[in-house]
Amino acid sequence: MRIVTKFWLSIGAIVAGYCATVAVDVWLALRNEERMDTATQALFPATIRSQEARHAFETQMRLYEDGVVEGEVEAIRQAAVSSARVQEMLAEICALQRLGVDEQAKVFALARRHQAFTTAAAGVYLRMADPATAESVRSLAPGLRDESHAIRHALNAQMTAMSGQLRQRLDDATLAMHQQRIVTITAFLGIVTCTLLVVALVLTFWSRRLRSLLQASDRLAGGDYDAVLPAERNDELGRLTASFGAMRGAVQARIHELRELTLGLEETVRVRTGELSGKNAALRAEIADRERTERVLRLLEAAINQINEAVVVTTPGATPEEASIVHLNPAFAQVTGWQEEEVRGRNLALLAGPATDRALFAGLFAAASSGKDGAAEIICRRRDGVDYPAEWHVSPIREADGSVSNLVAIQRDITERRRSQAELEDANRQAGMAEIATGVLHNVGNVLNSVNISASQIAERLDDPRLANLERTARLLQEGASATDFLRTDPRGRELPEYLVRLSSHIGKEHAALQAEARGLVSAVDHIKAIVGMQQTYARAGGSTVLAPTRLVDICEDALRLNQSSLQRDGIDVVRAYDDLPAMLLDRHKILQILVNLVGNARQAIVEAAPATRRLEVGIAMSGHDQLRVWVADNGIGITPEHLGRIFSHGFTTKAHGHGFGLHRCANAACEMNGRLSVRSDGPGLGARFELALPIGRTQT
């Protein structure tokens, strides 16, 4: 090939290199554009929607908490809106086109998990908001709380993963742009360099080939047959180089044969040596791996043996009868009385006794065999036949491929814990009895105030000076010679009939007043008996509600009658706002206890405020079709905002000599009737309104 042709081929190679550089630059730009599209069209929206889903879930849980604590069913129902928002955000994430399949699957699984949690939580929290059904589902609350924490953690993890991928894609795009600039600069420098090299090659090509040929000819002349000749080309120097090549051909052939034989022998030795070295290295690695595995096993066995709780490893089994014992620690023998050599190979059914819940026991192993953890408290039986309560935790042991190879069960003897719980429950019962006694004293004290006032009124009326005048009138009649003459002739006798008429009228009025006060005393004493009897019934039956056909108006009037003397003495006007309601099934004594306390508190608040017009309102009305409202309102001193939240707390009072038991007992009594006692006040000096809401029983016609 002619030198000019080689020159143009060099120019073509430079152009091809430039085109390749441009192609690489375009490819990098397209890949960077794809990364940016993925980040802006998938990861960024997914990150925003993950954050919104997390905020909606937090709102949902806060609504559940408010609904359960405040008893507001509406708040729990509103939580469904936040739940739908969470599902909407997760569905939009799944719908993103450029999001990876794995991420979409994770989001879809999280959406199904959240939907299952919402379905279960709505039913449970709705029942917990109702005091009548709260206790029946309280045991489900810890599981829901753990599930909510897991979902919250999953949402946080999802948002973190999305934002991490977004940052990674943006970093990759930035790096790609940097690489693109480097490639462009490198290509420019390469083109300039190649151009200079082509010029240099054109100038030095002939001189370099001639110099190489002269050096090769000198080495051949000196007997060096390994001298490298310039490459043969189809030009003048090429033909000269071919002549030199023919001259050394025969010698090089012989040397080549000897060299091939030597290389073959060396290659055989090298291959055999390499095979032996590889086998030795593999054997050493296997020995080290086995030693490491044995050390780990010994360490795990020592750790299990040092645990104070019973640990047993079994084969997989859907029931305790199918799970054969493989290994157990010394604590298992201490708890159950069974030694390892006695139970190895047997199943865990040997721990079951007559009191064992076999269905619950089997459920633990069925869940663990399917790959889930399980925990439960089960009554087990020791080898000596003694039953004991135990807390079980059963978990699967997985192979590298995810299959369950064994089960590990941890058993804890909870006899002492249950004994402590029983002692704590007894202490709580004693505290409840003390609170009942305090309530009795407080309620009886309220009624005794009315009794004391009525007794004082009777004593004042009996100490009437007109009775002494009646005695003097009788002596005048005895001193006269004749009653007829005395009445006709004596001036005092002529005034006597009119005096007797006025005295008779006065005595009749006093008699009627004394009868009214006596009836009030009898009613108050009956109320005291009812309070004591009610509290005794509460102590025996745990606060059960006794319903009887009663007119709510009569209860309100009894409460006002018990406080009538105090209200009249303090000049308080009573306003009655009664709807016409029929007799209903109500707990008369609990409602009367609440109203007496509220009326007494309202009277004290009005007296302390001393307004120009003293006004107390008692009213009853229907609220919807299934609820009664009874309220006591006053224009007294009012309640400060900071005291409103604590007004029903045990021991809280704003009175100088108060005990803080009355309103607390009233609130408890309302709860025992499945009702609610609430308070409202616009502030100090603006009065207060206490309202009792009760569910309606069957109406008596």
Side-chain angles (χ1 to χ4, degrees):
M1 183 181 296
R2 297 175 61 81
I3 295 175
V4 176
T5 303
K6 294 179 180 180
F7 173 78
W8 286 112
L9 286 176
S10 300
I11 297 298
I14 293 172
V15 173
Y18 176 78
C19 292
T21 302
V22 172
V24 170
D25 188 36
V26 171
W27 176 75
L28 290 175
L30 292 175
R31 189 175 67 172
N32 185 39
E33 183 179 357
E34 181 180 0
R35 290 194 183 99
M36 293 297 293
D37 289 342
T38 301
T40 56
Q41 298 179 15
L43 294 177
F44 181 75
T47 303
I48 297 301
R49 286 166 175 78
S50 296
Q51 187 174 9
E52 293 180 359
R54 184 187 67 178
H55 290 168
F57 183 73
E58 294 292 344
T59 303
Q60 177 185 358
M61 293 310 300
R62 185 166 59 252
L63 288 172
Y64 280 151
E65 181 180 355
D66 293 342
V68 172
V69 173
E70 299 296 335
E72 294 290 342
V73 177
E74 186 60 27
I76 297 177
R77 292 174 178 165
Q78 289 177 359
V81 178
S82 298
S83 173
R85 181 63 177 171
V86 175
Q87 291 293 319
E88 179 184 355
M89 292 298 101
L90 295 178
E92 290 183 3
I93 293 175
C94 291
L96 294 175
Q97 297 295 329
R98 291 182 175 270
L99 196 64
V101 177
D102 293 339
E103 286 78 8
Q104 289 180 339
K106 292 178 181 178
V107 174
F108 183 72
L110 179 57
R112 289 190 301 176
R113 184 176 184 182
H114 172 263
Q115 184 62 40
F117 167 77
T118 300
T119 302
V124 172
Y125 289 145
L126 278 174
R127 297 176 66 187
M128 289 184 69
D130 187 355
T133 59
E135 289 299 328
S136 63
V137 296
R138 194 173 299 279
S139 60
L140 302 178
L144 290 176
R145 183 174 61 253
D146 295 341
E147 182 64 12
S148 68
H149 291 168
I151 293 176
R152 185 182 290 107
H153 176 74
L155 287 172
N156 290 334
Q158 173 184 309
M159 186 180 70
T160 303
M162 293 294 181
S163 61
Q165 293 183 17
L166 176 62
R167 288 194 298 271
Q168 182 63 39
R169 291 298 177 89
L170 293 177
D171 292 341
D172 292 345
T174 303
L175 180 60
M177 294 176 63
H178 181 67
Q179 291 176 347
Q180 183 178 357
R181 288 195 296 270
I182 292 175
V183 169
T184 303
I185 294 173
T186 304
F188 175 76
L189 294 177
I191 292 172
V192 173
T193 303
C194 290
T195 303
L196 295 176
L197 287 176
V198 168
V199 174
L201 287 174
V202 170
L203 296 176
T204 60
F205 184 74
W206 281 100
S207 60
R208 180 175 59 80
R209 291 186 63 192
L210 288 173
R211 186 167 55 253
S212 298
L213 184 59
L214 290 175
Q215 291 175 352
S217 62
D218 292 339
R219 294 181 62 183
L220 287 174
D224 184 4
Y225 298 101
D226 292 329
V228 178
L229 295 174
E232 296 183 4
R233 290 178 172 83
N234 190 17
D235 56 13
E236 296 79 2
L237 291 177
R239 290 194 294 272
L240 182 60
T241 303
S243 299
F244 279 98
M247 293 170 56
R248 65 174 187 177
V251 176
Q252 283 186 331
R254 299 297 297 175
I255 294 174
H256 182 69
E257 285 184 18
L258 294 174
R259 186 174 296 168
E260 287 294 330
L261 292 175
T262 303
L263 291 176
L265 181 60
E266 291 178 353
E267 181 65 19
T268 301
V269 173
R270 187 184 64 79
V271 170
R272 295 296 297 169
T273 302
E275 291 177 356
L276 292 175
S277 299
K279 291 181 179 180
N280 289 335
L283 182 60
R284 287 194 299 270
E286 183 178 356
I287 292 173
D289 192 24
R290 289 185 178 182
E291 290 177 349
R292 183 169 55 256
T293 302
E294 290 177 357
R295 286 196 301 270
V296 172
L297 290 176
R298 287 194 298 270
L299 181 61
L300 290 176
E301 183 178 5
I304 292 175
N305 291 339
Q306 293 299 320
I307 296 177
N308 293 328
E309 299 173 355
V311 179
V312 57
V313 180
T314 69
T315 59
T319 63
E321 289 79 4
E322 298 176 5
S324 299
I325 297 175
V326 177
H327 177 72
L328 52 86
N329 66 343
F332 183 89
Q334 296 176 1
V335 173
T336 65
W338 292 95
Q339 301 299 323
E340 182 175 3
E341 58 273 9
E342 296 175 325
V343 299
R344 185 181 287 112
R346 299 178 63 180
N347 58 61
L348 283 175
L350 58 87
L351 297 179
T356 302
D357 188 343
R358 295 182 179 270
L360 181 60
F361 203 12
L364 287 177
F365 285 85
S369 298
S370 63
K372 302 177 182 178
D373 294 339
E377 292 185 4
I378 299 174
I379 302 297
C380 297
R381 172 158 289 191
R382 294 188 176 90
R383 184 180 181 185
D384 56 6
V386 177
D387 290 339
Y388 65 98
E391 181 180 342
W392 284 81
H393 293 270
V394 184
S395 302
I397 299 176
R398 299 181 182 274
E399 295 288 353
D401 59 356
S403 61
V404 178
S405 62
N406 292 94
L407 304 180
V408 57
I410 302 176
Q411 179 194 155
R412 180 185 296 116
D413 188 347
I414 60 173
T415 303
E416 290 299 325
R417 188 174 73 186
R418 288 198 173 181
R419 183 181 296 112
S420 299
Q421 289 175 349
E423 293 175 353
L424 181 59
E425 291 175 359
D426 184 65
N428 289 335
R429 185 180 65 84
Q430 295 294 334
M433 293 175 64
E435 183 178 354
I436 290 172
T438 302
V440 170
L441 292 176
H442 182 80
N443 294 327
V444 171
N446 287 335
V447 181
L448 285 178
N449 288 333
S450 299
V451 171
N452 186 34
I453 294 172
S454 297
S456 299
Q457 293 290 334
I458 292 175
E460 289 176 1
R461 293 182 183 276
L462 289 176
D463 190 16
D464 193 341
R466 291 182 180 87
L467 295 178
N469 294 336
L470 182 60
E471 183 180 355
R472 288 196 297 271
T473 302
R475 284 199 300 269
L476 286 174
L477 290 175
Q478 289 176 354
E479 292 173 359
S482 168
T484 303
D485 294 338
F486 177 75
L487 293 175
R488 288 178 178 178
T489 60
D490 194 306
R492 295 175 298 174
R494 287 194 297 269
E495 295 178 359
L496 184 60
E498 183 181 356
Y499 173 74
L500 291 176
V501 170
R502 292 197 304 271
L503 182 61
S504 175
S505 175
H506 175 73
I507 291 175
K509 293 179 181 179
E510 289 294 324
H511 181 69
L514 289 174
Q515 284 182 333
E517 291 293 343
R519 285 194 297 271
L521 281 174
V522 172
S523 177
V525 172
D526 288 341
H527 184 51
I528 291 175
K529 293 179 181 179
I531 290 174
V532 175
M534 179 180 60
Q535 298 295 352
Q536 289 174 343
T537 302
Y538 178 82
R540 291 193 302 269
S544 60
T545 299
V546 179
L547 300 179
T550 307
R551 287 178 55 84
L552 192 55
V553 174
D554 296 338
I555 302 177
C556 294
E557 287 301 319
D558 287 344
L560 291 173
R561 193 176 298 111
L562 290 173
N563 290 276
Q564 181 176 2
S565 300
S566 300
L567 295 172
Q568 291 177 349
R569 184 184 66 247
D570 296 327
I572 297 175
D573 295 331
V574 178
V575 179
R576 294 169 173 82
Y578 300 152
D579 283 358
D580 187 12
L581 302 179
M584 300 179 183
L585 289 178
L586 300 171
D587 190 326
R588 174 185 177 87
H589 295 296
K590 285 186 179 178
I591 297 175
L592 183 59
Q593 168 191 339
I594 295 173
L595 291 179
V596 167
N597 194 294
L598 295 181
V599 171
N601 288 348
R603 182 190 65 81
Q604 295 176 11
I606 294 173
V607 171
E608 185 175 348
T613 301
R614 301 186 176 190
R615 183 176 181 274
L616 185 146
E617 179 181 328
V618 179
I620 57 174
M622 295 288 294
S623 178
H625 299 287
D626 58 352
Q627 195 175 60
L628 287 172
R629 293 188 302 114
V630 187
W631 67 87
V632 176
D634 63 75
N635 60 344
I637 59 174
I639 305 173
T640 60
E642 58 269 18
H643 290 165
L644 281 175
R646 305 170 54 197
I647 197 71
F648 298 115
S649 300
H650 184 271
F652 177 79
T653 181
T654 58
K655 302 175 184 177
H657 302 288
H659 302 289
F661 300 147
L663 289 178
H664 177 68
R665 284 298 305 153
C666 290
N668 289 343
C671 291
E672 290 164 7
M673 295 184 289
N674 294 326
R676 183 171 182 266
L677 183 62
S678 60
V679 61
R680 188 183 68 196
S681 176
D682 294 332
L686 299 178
R689 176 189 175 101
F690 287 83
E691 184 171 301
L692 174 64
L694 294 173
I696 297 177
R698 294 189 298 274
T699 302
Q700 303 297 309
T701 59

